[in-house]
Amino acid sequence: MNRNDPHRVIKAPTGTTLQARSWLTEAPLRMLMNNLDPDVAEHPASLVVYGGIGRAARDWDCYDRIVEVLKRLGDDETLLIQSGKPVGVFPTHADAPRVLLANSNLVPHWANWEHFNELDRKGLMMYGQMTAGSWIYIGSQGIVQGTYETFAAVARQHFDGQARGRWILTGGLGGMGGAQPLAATMAGFCMLAVEVDESRIDFRLRTGYVDKKATDLDEALAMIEAAKADGEAISVGLLGNAAEVFPALVERGITPDVVTDQTSAHDPLNGYLPMGWSMAQAAEQRELDPAAVVKAAKQSMAVQVQAMLDLQAAGAATLDYGNNIRQMALEEGVTNAFDFPGFVPAYIRPLFCEGIGPFRWVALSGDPEDIYRTDAKVKELIPDNPQLHNWLDMARERIHFQGLPARICWVGLEDRARLGLAFNEMVRNGELKAPVVIGRDHLDSGSVASPNRETEAMQDGSDAVSDWPLLNALLNTAGGATWVSLHHGGGVGMGFSQHSGVVIVCDGSEAAAKRVGRVLHNDPATGVMRHADAGYDIALDCARRNHLDLPMMTGKGAEA
Amino acid sequence: MNRNDPHRVIKAPTGTTLQARSWLTEAPLRMLMNNLDPDVAEHPASLVVYGGIGRAARDWDCYDRIVEVLKRLGDDETLLIQSGKPVGVFPTHADAPRVLLANSNLVPHWANWEHFNELDRKGLMMYGQMTAGSWIYIGSQGIVQGTYETFAAVARQHFDGQARGRWILTGGLGGMGGAQPLAATMAGFCMLAVEVDESRIDFRLRTGYVDKKATDLDEALAMIEAAKADGEAISVGLLGNAAEVFPALVERGITPDVVTDQTSAHDPLNGYLPMGWSMAQAAEQRELDPAAVVKAAKQSMAVQVQAMLDLQAAGAATLDYGNNIRQMALEEGVTNAFDFPGFVPAYIRPLFCEGIGPFRWVALSGDPEDIYRTDAKVKELIPDNPQLHNWLDMARERIHFQGLPARICWVGLEDRARLGLAFNEMVRNGELKAPVVIGRDHLDSGSVASPNRETEAMQDGSDAVSDWPLLNALLNTAGGATWVSLHHGGGVGMGFSQHSGVVIVCDGSEAAAKRVGRVLHNDPATGVMRHADAGYDIALDCARRNHLDLPMMTGKGAEA
Ligand SMILES: NC(=O)c1ccc[n+]([C@@H]2O[C@H](COP(=O)([O-])OP(=O)(O)OC[C@H]3O[C@@H](n4cnc5c(N)ncnc54)[C@H](O)[C@@H]3O)[C@@H](O)[C@H]2O)c1
Ligand SMILES: NC(=O)c1ccc[n+]([C@@H]2O[C@H](COP(=O)([O-])OP(=O)(O)OC[C@H]3O[C@@H](n4cnc5c(N)ncnc54)[C@H](O)[C@@H]3O)[C@@H](O)[C@H]2O)c1
């Protein structure tokens, strides 16, 4: 298995010349390549996009073969990808997806990291995380708005909307975590982000996601204090281990206003550096004695979570940011690890009830102008949402594009299909230089079952029911999305989640308009349905307002 | 939740008058009803079709609403079923499935009977088993040929093909297990089947699946001895508990030629009567103290498995028949429980390598003549397979139809699409009185990951990889099957399997022919692909012979 090749440098083609036989196959080709662009991926030489070991293809042979197949694939054929390997091409039809992917799925009794890692080492599997294996990762921007929305909600809920003069402590500046400092300052907070890997801090400095670097805690705290005094919102990347820095603050009696974490705690083998270890040592031990790495990492996480609980007790608003660190600490004996809430039930669920989540699109032309035109179209179509307009302005000003130009913006059932149809029309009439793809994270309203994160503490107790994301994937396939994926273990690790992804191409055709209209309606509608079924009034109202046909609730005859 | 209504007696409509708007929605309507026909289902009043508590709908309200929706559903709409509940109707298109189902799926860390039972009691879930929740159960016939093929393979492998004068010991005469005595005698064996529920024995006597009833062991053994002496193949249903009768044989030093079991061991709460308990006592304790029932049942299974190991040591060919009883015994301390093999690796896998599995079809007309005509068509199209012809003759002679007339017959990649297209043509030209539906069990070549059963001991160690059944479901959805389902826990219980079902309607139209040609090719082809990927030469040869496009193995350029 050839999994590491430092000589490979992948860039998606841009412009309007096709490598494949149509835009419906050119699109997955460019998006796969874009996922592995060195400006986008965390470790492109080993096909790792983000999220610990979230890969875009199983190995370089599989990558090459996927590219070959996409170039020859017909518009009545469908390519199957099994954990990053192209396993079959089958006859389908024009309105069927061109690619169907299943990544990292294991029968539950065997769905743990030990078994997965064994299969992964044997070359039989790959970890797909969420958008890595489903080819719709767009760099750290992907997470910025979600993080910004969350921090803004924290400010509203705890500080009367006033973030100024407040600061957030967090860990991890990786693919997703790297969005935290930018989102924090956009929302008006200062941030201290602890990161063990200096190259990650430098990468965030270079791309404008973090403002300053510090190499010791005193220096970092001084920077934060100075900024607070000036009423400025700045972010500092501190080189250090979160399991050491968090308890050090407890010891000193220094309490941040908000505490969270985005190390890759969901993957204790590959995603979290144990305290006292060097990066080189961890890399070596991962090969020599993986069980010892896991043990040490989980013990350090327990220390970090204990510090988070202590800071919470001292008055900090503390939240789990979806990396399953509470579960890991619980397994190491921190019995009250779940005393601080996950961010979804605390801040995001009301949005999910209306199908609102991380909607995103990418300009296949490679031209930033195409994104700016769509930005303007979004403002035109959603004129009465100042927070959204503000986001679009800040995003344009402060977010550097990585790879193909892309935009993310949290909108829901009432807007997604309208926007998609407008973008398709813009492709048709030449306002955009080339087609756009529209997709979303798997962290969305109807696409995931993850009891320690997206479906934590559901009103009816249905947290672990994964029928919902499976139905979402089947319906998006039936509706004619361009590619659809089903993953396991994203975000929170093996055993803890099942989720689905979807991407659809706006190539400007009438046929695409039909598919876009269906898929971008149905996809968020399944989220509204899932939350209405669980008893959330906001979701039920949204379903009624949008005339969803939910037979036991709002369908024809349901009120009879 | 209204789950038990003894007044409800469901029969599928027959003839050519539609209740729904087209045959594509009439078909799932009739098949749902057929699943609950008292001649088909094990406990229709509580919507239980077979396999412990395998249901067709969550409760009677859900059932009624499903029926209403199917009657009004348009040919560009799709109904979603979540664990037996109709949760949404969404716009799709003519070539998309009319129904998509996800039953009993749980996020792996929570995928166990305790959590499932809690959700089930709250009315949030339903156990779908395999064909119960996916509306293509056809009574005990469904399993007869599979069991017959297995017993014939046992005879070939252990007794030079001579079953005469040999006998099989088994347990369980339920929905599936009830097929054992008929299959055994068809294959030339005598059989002693131990069953705790007298009504189940009487049901099998009435429908011609078992020849005789006995109420004590001596009587039963005498019947078997007499038949063996006369060179006859007879079957005896013995009223008793397998956990008591199996050890009694060990004690007496009586060794059957073959030993197996088909109690519902996969569901220790509802599917297995602990030794020494009455049925009434178990029913009561299931409500009062479910944990105690589970414990007692698993302890009895351990006793039974120990007896099976002892009989194996004494020379009996012993096999697990896919009910996960070895796992249960293992969990109770029988450390060598897996010393006897599962039936799939031992006898069935070579068939799966060619996509061969339990193909089945049902005459929606309700007229047995339609099945006899298709029987003749199968013989005509597959002229050179005497075993298959023999099966069809015996089936016609000895198998009573239950509910809508149906036929099962194990065929693979090379035949399924040909047969389906021929049937569709017979509908078109009026040779058949009404459309037929074609489906299969989830126990099939490409549709299941189940490490203690269908994917036990795969050559490459990929037993637990469930990407494959998920891809199968997505591809069948993309291909335009009429309904597609994704289930968890079928056969072997919660945590131990993931699998998908598919049904397609032959309504005689040109559009149906296109869908049938695709789906009945792709579906078995995914099985050949899965086995070729695991390294089985038979599968690789079959893939090459049939020009499957498997990019890393046989696709264009794969040999380069
Ligand atoms: N809340 C959300 O919306 C959301 C979204 C996506 C991902 N996540 C979760 O956030 C986590 C991070 O995701 P990512 O894509 O950034 O992962 P990543 O693997 O790219 O980055 C993790 C970072 O943490 C650093 N790190 C590891 N151990 C550390 C330690 N002890 N102290 C300080 N830093 C340490 C690593 O060097 C790395 O840079 C994952 O668990 C992911 O599932 C949350
Ligand atoms: N090998 C295969 O092809 C295959 C196919 C389908 C099902 N199965 C498995 O076979 C098992 C049986 O399926 P089913 O549909 O017949 O289930 P079922 O629940 O309809 O029948 C089980 C029967 O076992 C009887 N029973 C329970 N405890 C007993 C005991 N201690 N002693 C004797 N009899 C006892 C019950 O009374 C019942 O009649 C299931 O675990 C199922 O998953 C195997």
Side-chain angles (χ1 to χ4, degrees):
Chain A
M1 188 172 47
N2 170 18
R3 244 193 194 172
N4 191 22
D5 186 347
H7 303 295
R8 308 281 301 231
V9 179
I10 310 293
K11 285 261 168 209
T14 55
T16 56
T17 308
L18 294 182
Q19 327 281 306
R21 290 168 57 189
S22 84
W23 279 108
L24 296 182
T25 43
E26 182 76 13
L29 184 72
R30 291 190 185 189
M31 291 305 296
L32 163 64
M33 292 176 163
N34 193 55
N35 260 16
L36 293 170
D37 185 316
D39 288 344
V40 176
E42 295 295 309
H43 306 289
S46 52
L47 299 128
V48 169
V49 182
Y50 80 106
I53 52 164
R55 286 191 160 81
R58 197 180 300 177
D59 58 27
W60 283 107
D61 293 341
C62 288
Y63 169 83
D64 289 335
R65 191 52 53 97
I66 294 170
V67 168
E68 272 174 49
V69 173
L70 288 173
K71 285 183 180 171
R72 67 168 163 88
L73 200 71
D75 268 0
D76 56 356
E77 293 181 310
T78 296
L79 166 62
L80 302 190
I81 303 285
Q82 182 261 323
S83 284
K85 176 177 179 179
V87 289
V89 175
F90 292 91
T92 53
H93 58 85
D95 273 325
R98 297 282 70 85
V99 188
L100 294 167
L101 310 97
N103 289 320
S104 331
N105 297 284
L106 287 168
V107 177
H109 189 70
W110 292 264
N112 53 57
W113 279 115
E114 289 80 52
H115 195 75
F116 171 82
N117 286 332
E118 192 187 317
L119 293 168
D120 191 46
R121 268 193 300 275
K122 277 190 187 164
L124 292 171
M125 285 206 112
M126 163 195 103
Y127 182 55
Q129 210 352 357
M130 293 188 149
T131 53
S134 59
W135 309 344
I136 185 70
Y137 184 69
I138 54 169
S140 296
Q141 187 197 166
I143 199 71
V144 174
Q145 199 196 9
T147 312
Y148 163 80
E149 296 260 357
T150 304
F151 290 154
V154 170
R156 278 195 304 276
Q157 209 160 302
H158 300 284
F159 312 117
D160 291 324
Q162 292 307 317
R164 199 141 305 268
R166 306 266 176 192
W167 68 289
I168 302 174
L169 169 71
T170 191
L173 291 175
M176 297 280 97
Q180 297 177 99
L182 180 55
T185 55
M186 278 181 171
F189 286 99
C190 287
M191 169 167 280
L192 175 59
V194 187
E195 165 62 58
V196 282
D197 181 349
E198 190 158 11
S199 78
R200 298 299 88 196
I201 302 179
D202 293 339
F203 185 30
R204 303 306 156 209
L205 277 170
R206 212 163 55 234
T207 51
Y209 275 73
V210 77
D211 299 319
K212 290 166 189 290
K213 176 163 84 170
T215 50
D216 82 59
L217 181 55
D218 291 312
E219 182 192 1
L221 289 171
M223 289 171 175
I224 299 278
E225 279 312 311
K228 278 169 61 181
D230 298 348
E232 261 184 76
I234 65 148
S235 58
V236 180
L238 168 62
L239 183 62
N241 191 311
E244 289 161 3
V245 174
F246 281 43
L249 288 170
V250 177
E251 226 165 80
R252 296 181 185 203
I254 296 174
T255 304
D257 298 290
V258 185
V259 176
T260 187
D261 180 63
Q262 268 203 51
T263 60
S264 271
H266 72 278
D267 180 355
L269 177 60
N270 303 291
Y272 191 96
L273 189 74
M275 51 202 278
W277 290 39
S278 71
M279 305 247 309
Q281 182 186 357
E284 192 181 281
Q285 290 301 313
R286 276 176 195 128
E287 298 302 319
L288 297 179
D289 191 356
V293 179
V294 167
K295 188 70 193 160
K298 288 175 75 174
Q299 281 170 346
S300 291
M301 290 183 214
V303 171
Q304 186 184 344
V305 167
Q306 187 54 56
M308 293 172 82
L309 290 162
D310 294 344
L311 293 171
Q312 183 185 31
T318 303
L319 56 138
D320 173 302
Y321 212 152
N323 63 354
N324 217 17
I325 196 167
R326 293 172 299 171
Q327 177 75 32
M328 301 294 151
L330 177 71
E331 291 173 12
E332 285 301 308
V334 183
T335 50
N336 62 334
F338 279 79
D339 274 5
F340 57 87
F343 72 109
V344 174
Y347 307 106
I348 300 292
R349 182 136 319 132
L351 304 177
F352 280 176
C353 285
E354 303 197 301
I356 297 171
F359 187 70
R360 61 183 60 181
W361 60 99
V362 180
L364 294 175
S365 65
D367 189 335
E369 276 305 320
D370 275 2
I371 291 299
Y372 302 144
R373 293 217 175 91
T374 56
D375 284 347
K377 181 60 76 177
V378 174
K379 288 187 183 177
E380 178 194 326
L381 290 177
I382 309 177
D384 48 1
N385 185 336
Q387 196 182 322
L388 182 71
H389 288 224
N390 184 38
W391 157 256
L392 289 169
D393 293 338
M394 281 198 299
R396 174 160 183 173
E397 190 184 312
R398 301 194 52 180
I399 288 177
H400 303 210
F401 290 131
Q402 298 170 259
L404 295 174
R407 183 64 74 226
I408 185 157
C409 136
W410 278 49
V411 295
L413 174 62
E414 279 160 10
D415 296 312
R416 291 192 191 187
R418 288 197 308 132
L419 295 179
L421 289 170
F423 295 173
N424 193 59
E425 175 59 23
M426 291 167 83
V427 175
R428 195 195 61 74
N429 67 22
E431 277 182 77
L432 301 180
K433 297 199 185 65
V436 295
V437 301
I438 301 180
R440 56 158 172 76
D441 197 355
H442 298 205
L443 177 160
D444 198 12
S445 162
S447 53
V448 52
S450 183
N452 287 353
R453 199 165 96 169
E454 289 88 343
T455 54
E456 176 173 351
M458 292 293 290
Q459 196 164 295
D460 63 345
S462 62
D463 309 19
V465 178
S466 59
D467 293 332
W468 302 103
L470 299 179
L471 287 173
N472 174 269
L474 293 174
L475 183 63
N476 283 334
T477 302
T482 316
W483 61 101
V484 176
S485 52
L486 268 172
H487 289 197
H488 159 243
V492 283
M494 287 296 136
F496 291 95
S497 60
Q498 282 177 272
H499 37 94
S500 84
V502 63
V503 184
I504 188 153
V505 175
C506 301
D507 65 9
S509 67
E510 202 34 59
K514 282 200 186 134
R515 291 189 295 260
V516 166
R518 278 194 302 258
V519 170
L520 294 184
H521 170 269
N522 290 351
D523 180 52
T526 66
V528 176
M529 166 181 78
R530 191 260 180 279
H531 288 84
D533 192 78
Y536 290 92
D537 288 333
I538 309 178
L540 211 44
D541 288 347
C542 178
R544 291 215 178 87
R545 217 165 50 236
N546 290 280
H547 308 291
L548 297 191
D549 184 353
L550 311 181
M552 304 298 287
M553 290 178 288
T554 67
K556 291 160 204 155
E559 270 90 12
Chain B
M1 188 172 48
N2 169 18
R3 243 190 194 175
N4 191 24
D5 186 349
H7 303 295
R8 308 280 302 231
V9 179
I10 309 293
K11 285 261 168 207
T14 55
T16 54
T17 307
L18 294 181
Q19 327 281 306
R21 289 168 58 189
S22 83
W23 279 108
L24 296 181
T25 43
E26 182 76 14
L29 184 72
R30 290 191 185 188
M31 291 304 296
L32 164 63
M33 291 177 164
N34 193 54
N35 261 16
L36 293 170
D37 185 318
D39 288 343
V40 176
E42 294 295 309
H43 305 291
S46 52
L47 299 128
V48 169
V49 182
Y50 79 106
I53 52 164
R55 286 191 160 79
R58 197 180 302 177
D59 58 26
W60 284 107
D61 292 341
C62 288
Y63 169 84
D64 289 335
R65 192 52 54 95
I66 295 170
V67 168
E68 272 174 50
V69 173
L70 288 173
K71 285 182 180 172
R72 68 168 163 88
L73 199 72
D75 268 0
D76 57 356
E77 293 182 308
T78 296
L79 167 63
L80 302 189
I81 304 284
Q82 182 260 324
S83 284
K85 176 178 179 179
V87 289
V89 175
F90 292 91
T92 53
H93 58 85
D95 274 324
R98 297 282 69 84
V99 189
L100 295 167
L101 310 97
N103 289 319
S104 331
N105 297 284
L106 287 167
V107 176
H109 189 70
W110 293 264
N112 54 56
W113 279 114
E114 289 80 53
H115 195 75
F116 171 82
N117 287 331
E118 193 186 317
L119 293 169
D120 190 47
R121 267 193 301 274
K122 277 191 188 164
L124 292 171
M125 286 207 111
M126 162 195 103
Y127 182 53
Q129 214 344 359
M130 292 188 149
T131 52
S134 59
W135 309 344
I136 185 71
Y137 184 69
I138 55 169
S140 296
Q141 186 198 165
I143 199 70
V144 174
Q145 198 196 8
T147 313
Y148 163 80
E149 296 258 358
T150 304
F151 289 154
V154 171
R156 278 196 303 277
Q157 209 161 302
H158 300 285
F159 312 119
D160 291 323
Q162 293 307 315
R164 199 142 304 270
R166 307 268 176 191
W167 69 290
I168 303 173
L169 171 71
T170 192
L173 290 175
M176 298 279 97
Q180 297 177 100
L182 179 55
T185 55
M186 278 181 170
F189 286 98
C190 288
M191 168 166 279
L192 176 59
V194 187
E195 165 61 59
V196 283
D197 181 349
E198 190 159 10
S199 78
R200 297 298 89 197
I201 303 180
D202 294 339
F203 185 30
R204 301 307 156 209
L205 278 171
R206 213 163 55 234
T207 51
Y209 275 73
V210 77
D211 299 319
K212 289 166 190 290
K213 177 163 84 170
T215 50
D216 82 57
L217 180 54
D218 291 313
E219 183 192 358
L221 288 172
M223 287 170 176
I224 299 277
E225 278 313 310
K228 278 169 59 180
D230 298 349
E232 262 184 77
I234 65 148
S235 59
V236 180
L238 169 61
L239 183 62
N241 192 311
E244 289 161 3
V245 174
F246 281 43
L249 288 170
V250 176
E251 224 164 82
R252 293 182 186 202
I254 296 173
T255 306
D257 298 288
V258 185
V259 176
T260 188
D261 180 62
Q262 269 204 49
T263 59
S264 272
H266 71 277
D267 180 355
L269 177 59
N270 302 292
Y272 191 96
L273 188 74
M275 51 202 278
W277 290 40
S278 71
M279 306 247 310
Q281 183 186 357
E284 193 181 280
Q285 291 301 313
R286 275 175 196 132
E287 299 301 320
L288 297 178
D289 191 357
V293 179
V294 168
K295 188 69 193 160
K298 289 176 74 173
Q299 280 170 346
S300 291
M301 290 183 214
V303 171
Q304 186 185 342
V305 167
Q306 188 53 57
M308 293 173 82
L309 289 162
D310 294 343
L311 293 171
Q312 182 185 31
T318 304
L319 57 136
D320 173 303
Y321 212 152
N323 62 356
N324 216 17
I325 196 166
R326 292 173 299 172
Q327 177 75 31
M328 300 294 151
L330 177 71
E331 291 173 12
E332 285 301 310
V334 183
T335 50
N336 63 335
F338 279 79
D339 275 5
F340 57 88
F343 72 110
V344 174
Y347 308 106
I348 299 292
R349 182 141 314 135
L351 304 177
F352 279 175
C353 284
E354 303 197 298
I356 297 171
F359 187 71
R360 60 183 60 180
W361 60 98
V362 180
L364 294 175
S365 66
D367 189 336
E369 276 305 318
D370 275 2
I371 291 299
Y372 301 144
R373 293 216 174 92
T374 56
D375 284 347
K377 180 61 75 178
V378 174
K379 287 188 182 176
E380 178 194 324
L381 290 177
I382 309 176
D384 48 1
N385 187 335
Q387 196 183 323
L388 182 70
H389 288 223
N390 183 37
W391 157 256
L392 288 169
D393 293 338
M394 280 198 298
R396 174 160 182 173
E397 190 185 314
R398 300 193 51 180
I399 288 177
H400 303 212
F401 290 131
Q402 297 170 259
L404 294 174
R407 182 66 73 225
I408 185 157
C409 133
W410 278 50
V411 295
L413 174 61
E414 279 159 11
D415 295 312
R416 292 193 190 186
R418 290 197 306 133
L419 296 179
L421 289 170
F423 295 173
N424 193 59
E425 175 59 24
M426 292 168 82
V427 175
R428 196 196 59 75
N429 67 24
E431 277 182 77
L432 300 180
K433 296 197 187 65
V436 295
V437 300
I438 300 180
R440 57 158 171 76
D441 198 355
H442 299 205
L443 177 161
D444 199 11
S445 162
S447 53
V448 53
S450 184
N452 287 353
R453 198 165 99 170
E454 289 87 343
T455 53
E456 176 172 352
M458 292 293 291
Q459 197 164 294
D460 63 345
S462 62
D463 309 18
V465 178
S466 59
D467 293 332
W468 302 104
L470 299 181
L471 287 173
N472 173 270
L474 293 174
L475 183 62
N476 283 333
T477 302
T482 316
W483 61 101
V484 176
S485 53
L486 269 171
H487 290 196
H488 159 244
V492 283
M494 287 297 135
F496 291 96
S497 60
Q498 282 176 272
H499 37 95
S500 84
V502 62
V503 183
I504 188 153
V505 174
C506 302
D507 66 8
S509 67
E510 204 31 61
K514 280 199 187 136
R515 291 190 294 260
V516 165
R518 279 196 302 258
V519 170
L520 294 184
H521 170 270
N522 289 352
D523 180 52
T526 65
V528 176
M529 167 182 77
R530 191 262 179 277
H531 287 85
D533 193 78
Y536 290 92
D537 288 333
I538 310 178
L540 212 43
D541 288 347
C542 178
R544 292 216 178 87
R545 218 165 48 236
N546 289 280
H547 309 290
L548 296 191
D549 184 354
L550 312 181
M552 304 298 287
M553 291 178 288
T554 67
K556 292 161 202 156
E559 269 92 11

